């Protein structure tokens, strides 16, 4: 065990985690020349296309140092704030972390956030200054920033370049010398933490785990503590680029387990694996629960695909434990699921993965956050409102509370004004302003979560010319003046388009929604009124004009009353058609609300 090191790589988006991981794999000869490619650990097409890491990836390397052989277990983590749950799971399975900072961009919001996560878990931090080969790199200044943040000596910071491979040897030396070897006892009962899992259609669920005590052997009976189910360990092994089967995996090591489980719900990330005959008494603690931030309905385009969608979501949940969902139904869209996501990028990725990996074409409703409603009848009883249509009638409503967040924005000092005005427009209140250097400022705001759900991140990048970085965490629920804006099409309320909006901006948003829908809804044989309403009060209306058939074409000359008779007949037909007419709503209409400012 003294020759095992478990570590993860943490950083802000685009600071070069995956590139550096590629260099480490090449240097330790874990991969051959034939297998080399950029972003080697990012296995999904989506990750390669967007150039981001979505999933944490574990891999084992062997390295010889001072004549001794060491086993290094590396976990490459995502950098985007929407995938911070993946990072927290990776940190729980490690003893150390490489904190990577871009020499050109210095410390960003997510760097600090991930650092605190690692410090809470008592990890040994190795600071690495990456991309020092760039012409715009500023190593001296960024070194000072890291020293201020960590309180370490400047000599402890390793200079490296993921592109050229400079400094990789020093990083490996620091991993072996500074990161402690795992603590644990091979003779204790088996105690292993599940930190990830993936569904394989041939072999069932593959579980990735880290052994804290004891050992897990092939063919032994094992037990999952939280579900109390027992299985045979059909295959255990370590994770190289391909899986390597082994006879046993001992304390301190990381590996995979195949038990032939076919139902996704039987494996829970964060669960403890133990021996069925000699079980451990204590489960592994310190695994945080996922807190979804954004809720949206996901519905199959064809209602017959409902069960297939459920199976796809369960398999996806195995691979992405931060996705939560429960069944719901909508008058407009039929049966579907109300899903909880960690942010808008997460929602986008899940929708795309459903389409690519499971061939499911889905409709996503307007995203919203979770509110607390209180009625006049019982003002202390909390009603959880995840869907705007669950909100009680205005006459019965006592108050509504919405979630607030503490937002931390790091930006160049030139952009403080535009960033502040954006946050104040989004109902934010500034609580702190700190100059990290003369050039860079950290602004802290208290603001409603609902305001950052849609376009906040994009607009923040626009007003700061791409310089601002953003991180947030939930704080408390505060009472707010919120109203439900309903959209009526042809007199019928469309529940999937309802939204809870602050009373001050409800009129403007209702008007914009009607205008946007008028452009998107295709014309029918009859007029379609589009109305926005708060309760029974209509606040805005637009009309999609009817397509008219020229019924008077066959009248040539003659009395005007003949034409009028035909037009009156047409009008009656249109009236009858409108009573039974159904309005088809395209998918773009549901997402149009997100792009109201375009």
């Amino acid at each position: 065990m003294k020759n095992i090191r478990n570590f993860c790589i943490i950083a802000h988006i685009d600071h070069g985690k995956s590139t550096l991981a590629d260099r480490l794999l090449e240097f330790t000869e874990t991969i051959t020349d034939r297998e080399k490619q950029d972003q080697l650990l990012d296995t999904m097409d989506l990750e390669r296309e967007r150039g981001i890491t979505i999933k944490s990836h574990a891999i084992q390397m062997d390295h010889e140092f001072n004549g001794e052989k060491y086993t290094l277990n590396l976990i490459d983590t995502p950098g985007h704030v929407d995938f911070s749950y993946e990072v927290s799971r990776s940190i729980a399975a490690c003893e150390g972390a490489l904190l990577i900072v871009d020499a050109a961009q210095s410390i960003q919001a997510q760097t600090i956030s991930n650092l605190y996560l690692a410090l809470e878990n008592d990890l040994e931090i190795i600071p690495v200054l990456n991309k020092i080969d760039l012409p715009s790199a500023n190593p001296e200044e960024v070194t000072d920033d890291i020293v201020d943040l960590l309180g370490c000596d400047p000599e402890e910071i390793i200079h490296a370049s993921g592109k050229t491979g400079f400094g990789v040897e020093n990083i490996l030396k620091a991993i072996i010398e500074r990161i402690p070897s795992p603590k644990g006892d091979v003779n204790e009962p088996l105690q292993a933490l599940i930190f990830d899992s993936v569904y394989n259609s041939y072999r069932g669920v593959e579980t990735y785990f880290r052994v804290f005590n004891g050992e897990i052997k092939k063919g032994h009976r094992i037990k999952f503590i939280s579900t109390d189910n027992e299985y045979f360990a059909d295959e255990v092994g370590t994770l190289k680029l391909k899986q390597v089967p082994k006879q046993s995996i001992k304390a301190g090591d990381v590996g995979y387990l195949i038990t032939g489980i076919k139902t996704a719900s039987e494996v829970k990330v964060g669960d403890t694996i133990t021996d069925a005959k000699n079980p451990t008494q204590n489960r592994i603690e310190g695994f945080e629960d996922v807190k979804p931030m954004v809720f949206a309905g996901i519905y199959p385009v064809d209602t017959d695909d409902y069960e297939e969608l459920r199976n796809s979501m369960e398999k996806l949940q195995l691979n992405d434990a931060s996705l939560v969902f429960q069944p719901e139904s909508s008058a407009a869209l039929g049966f579907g699921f109300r899903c909880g996501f960690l942010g808008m990028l997460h929602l986008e990725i899940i929708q795309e993965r459903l389409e690519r990996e499971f061939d499911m074409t889905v409709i996503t409703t307007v995203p919203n956050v979770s509110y607390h409603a209180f009625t006049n009848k019982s003002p202390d009883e909390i009603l959880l409102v995840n869907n705007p249509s669950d909100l009680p009638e205005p006459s019965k409503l006592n108050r509504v509370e919405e979630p607030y967040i503490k937002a931390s924005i790091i930006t160049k000092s030139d952009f403080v004004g535009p960033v502040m005005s954006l946050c104040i427009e989004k109902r934010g209140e500034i609580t702190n302003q700190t100059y990290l250097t003369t050039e860079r400022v950290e602004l802290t705001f208290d603001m409603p979560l609902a305001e950052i759900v849609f376009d906040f991140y994009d607009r923040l990048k626009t007003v700061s010319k791409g310089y601002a970085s953003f991180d947030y965490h939930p704080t408390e629920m505060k009472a707010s003046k919120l109203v439900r804006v309903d959209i009526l099409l042809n007199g019928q309320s469309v529940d999937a388009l309802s939204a809870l909006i602050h009373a001050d901006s409800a009129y403007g948003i209702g008007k914009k929604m009607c205008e946007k829908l008028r452009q998107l809804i295709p014309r029918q044989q009859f007029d379609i009124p589009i109305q926005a309403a708060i309760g029974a009060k209509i606040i805005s209306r637009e009309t999609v004009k009817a397509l008219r058939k020229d019924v008077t074409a066959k009248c040539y000359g003659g009395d005007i009353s003949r034409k009028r008779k035909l037009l009156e007949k047409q009008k009656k037909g249109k009236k009858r058609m409108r009573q039974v007419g159904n309005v088809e709503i395209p998918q773009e209409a549901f997402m149009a609300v997100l792009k109201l400012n375009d």
Side-chain angles (χ1 to χ4, degrees):
M1 252 172 72
K2 72 178 193 345
N3 286 8
I4 295 177
R5 299 288 182 273
N6 298 319
F7 68 99
C8 58
I9 299 185
I10 54 176
H12 188 78
I13 315 158
D14 256 358
H15 280 205
K17 295 177 292 302
S18 299
T19 314
L20 204 60
D22 292 349
R23 296 297 88 78
L24 289 170
L25 295 175
E26 283 169 21
F27 194 87
T28 55
E29 293 176 5
T30 307
I31 52 171
T32 60
D33 284 347
R34 280 185 63 192
E35 291 166 333
K36 276 183 193 173
Q37 56 169 322
D38 289 343
Q39 281 180 272
L40 185 78
L41 293 178
D42 294 347
T43 45
M44 261 186 266
D45 295 345
L46 255 178
E47 292 179 312
R48 297 189 161 284
E49 282 166 26
R50 291 176 177 237
I52 57 174
T53 304
I54 294 168
K55 287 286 307 153
S56 295
H57 301 276
I59 191 163
Q60 191 175 81
M61 306 180 284
D62 294 317
H63 182 55
E64 196 169 301
F65 180 73
N66 291 348
E68 280 195 66
K69 286 194 172 165
Y70 287 87
T71 301
L72 311 177
N73 289 311
L74 148 75
I75 303 179
D76 178 25
T77 65
H80 199 282
V81 63
D82 279 15
F83 305 112
S84 55
Y85 187 65
E86 288 281 331
V87 183
S88 75
R89 284 160 42 190
S90 307
I91 283 173
C94 295
E95 276 85 28
L98 294 181
L99 179 75
I100 294 183
V101 179
D102 186 329
Q105 294 184 17
S106 189
I107 290 162
Q108 307 264 298
Q110 211 48 37
T111 319
I112 297 172
S113 166
N114 287 339
L115 170 69
Y116 287 151
L117 258 179
L119 290 174
E120 276 168 32
N121 285 276
D122 291 336
L123 297 200
E124 178 65 38
I125 308 287
I126 298 176
V128 177
L129 192 57
N130 195 20
K131 303 192 187 181
I132 63 155
D133 57 317
L134 290 181
S136 58
N138 193 347
E140 291 80 17
E141 194 178 307
V142 181
T143 300
D144 294 343
D145 290 352
I146 298 174
V147 170
D148 290 345
L149 180 69
L150 285 175
C152 61
D153 292 331
E155 296 76 50
E156 288 177 31
I157 300 165
I158 301 167
H159 288 215
S161 162
K163 194 163 152 195
T164 62
F166 170 76
V168 170
E169 198 172 341
N170 296 338
I171 292 174
L172 286 163
K173 183 182 172 199
I175 288 167
I176 290 166
E177 289 178 349
R178 294 196 219 166
I179 293 175
S181 57
K183 296 178 178 63
D185 190 346
V186 184
N187 304 316
E188 291 272 317
L190 171 65
Q191 189 189 30
L193 170 77
I194 300 176
F195 67 86
D196 206 352
S197 53
V198 58
Y199 189 82
N200 180 324
S201 44
Y202 300 107
R203 311 177 77 181
V205 178
E206 297 173 1
T207 311
Y208 299 160
F209 60 85
R210 150 83 200 272
V211 185
F212 281 89
N213 285 312
E215 69 177 313
I216 187 164
K217 292 182 182 166
K218 183 181 175 180
H220 267 206
R221 254 192 111 64
I222 52 138
K223 178 171 145 187
F224 289 180
I225 287 186
S226 72
T227 54
D228 231 10
N229 292 343
E230 296 186 7
Y231 309 96
F232 275 107
D234 296 339
E235 186 183 306
V236 296
T238 52
L239 296 152
K240 288 284 176 70
L241 198 55
K242 297 186 176 67
Q243 294 170 340
V244 184
K246 295 270 175 83
Q247 283 307 310
S248 78
I249 296 199
K250 298 185 175 168
D253 218 342
V254 172
Y256 72 93
L257 162 76
I258 293 173
T259 52
I261 300 172
K262 288 288 186 209
T263 38
S265 53
E266 290 179 35
V267 179
K268 289 191 168 49
V269 168
D271 197 358
T272 306
I273 307 174
T274 187
D275 199 317
K277 289 179 186 162
N278 178 18
T280 178
Q281 294 311 307
N282 19 342
R283 62 171 59 204
I284 298 162
E285 297 298 335
F287 211 83
E288 63 173 69
D289 273 341
V290 57
K291 296 185 202 77
M293 294 285 181
V294 176
F295 292 86
I298 287 188
Y299 293 85
V301 170
D302 185 351
T303 41
D304 297 347
D305 294 341
Y306 174 72
E307 277 307 318
E308 203 178 319
L309 179 62
R310 179 197 290 277
N311 293 337
S312 307
M313 300 272 272
E314 281 178 356
K315 287 171 189 168
L316 200 53
Q317 193 179 31
L318 261 184
N319 196 236
D320 184 351
S322 49
L323 168 70
V324 288
F325 62 91
Q326 61 194 49
E328 75 162 3
S329 64
S330 146
L333 300 170
F335 290 104
F337 297 95
R338 169 77 17 186
C339 307
F341 307 95
L342 296 178
M344 287 299 287
L345 177 68
H346 189 207
L347 159 68
E348 214 177 297
I349 296 291
I350 292 288
Q351 190 179 346
E352 198 135 332
R353 284 184 73 184
L354 279 171
E355 286 178 9
R356 288 187 186 208
E357 293 171 31
F358 302 100
D359 276 340
M360 293 297 312
T361 321
V362 292
I363 290 177
T364 317
T365 64
V366 179
N368 63 289
V369 300
S370 177
Y371 298 91
H372 288 176
F374 299 86
T375 56
N376 291 324
K377 198 173 175 185
S378 46
D380 297 330
E381 191 186 330
I382 296 174
L383 284 174
L384 197 65
V385 180
N386 285 337
N387 190 341
S389 52
D390 298 341
L391 191 75
E393 288 301 309
S395 55
K396 297 175 184 170
L397 202 59
N398 181 312
R399 67 185 190 282
V400 183
E401 290 183 354
E402 63 176 334
Y404 266 68
I405 56 161
K406 184 180 177 188
S408 152
I409 296 169
I410 294 179
T411 182
K412 277 191 154 183
S413 47
D414 312 359
F415 305 117
V416 171
V419 169
M420 273 194 187
S421 46
L422 170 67
C423 292
I424 289 162
E425 180 196 326
K426 296 280 187 186
R427 297 193 284 136
E429 288 174 14
I430 188 157
T431 55
N432 198 0
Q433 180 176 351
T434 319
Y435 275 80
L436 302 169
T437 66
T438 50
E439 284 293 300
R440 294 170 62 250
V441 191
E442 181 178 13
L443 303 169
T444 313
F445 289 91
D446 278 344
M447 55 200 301
L449 177 62
E451 294 287 345
I452 67 155
V453 165
F454 299 142
D455 57 353
F456 178 77
Y457 196 62
D458 297 344
R459 287 183 61 195
L460 178 69
K461 284 286 181 204
T462 309
V463 298
S464 67
K465 298 189 179 166
Y467 277 108
S469 64
F470 170 64
D471 184 48
Y472 63 88
H473 57 263
T475 49
E476 57 182 339
M477 304 293 285
K478 286 188 186 173
S480 242
K481 204 167 132 200
L482 296 166
V483 290
R484 184 172 83 215
V485 175
D486 292 315
I487 298 292
L488 302 142
L489 283 185
N490 201 7
Q492 300 285 314
S493 172
V494 182
D495 56 356
L497 286 171
S498 298
L500 280 177
I501 295 166
H502 194 264
D504 297 347
S505 51
Y507 174 76
I509 288 181
K511 191 169 186 298
K512 279 184 183 170
M513 277 167 86
C514 289
E515 286 167 4
K516 199 86 176 179
L517 287 170
R518 193 192 71 208
Q519 297 162 15
L520 291 167
I521 288 173
R523 291 169 74 183
Q524 314 276 339
Q525 295 281 324
F526 53 92
D527 279 3
I528 307 167
I530 304 169
Q531 296 162 308
I534 298 173
K537 184 183 174 191
I538 304 290
I539 56 168
S540 176
R541 170 183 169 133
E542 294 284 334
T543 308
V544 177
K545 286 291 176 198
L547 286 167
R548 282 194 57 176
K549 187 178 170 189
D550 192 359
V551 285
T552 58
K554 59 189 177 199
C555 275
Y556 47 92
D559 191 3
I560 184 70
S561 59
R562 290 182 60 204
K563 287 187 178 178
R564 195 157 289 148
K565 185 179 163 191
L566 287 168
L567 288 169
E568 285 300 323
K569 191 176 167 191
Q570 184 189 29
K571 204 188 265 180
K572 273 184 193 161
K574 286 205 181 301
K575 196 173 176 185
R576 197 163 54 246
M577 199 189 272
R578 185 179 148 183
Q579 282 164 359
V580 294
N582 232 343
V583 183
E584 286 287 311
I585 309 170
Q587 162 70 26
E588 299 86 66
F590 291 108
M591 302 315 280
V593 186
L594 311 186
K595 300 188 176 73
L596 288 180
N597 287 331
D598 292 5

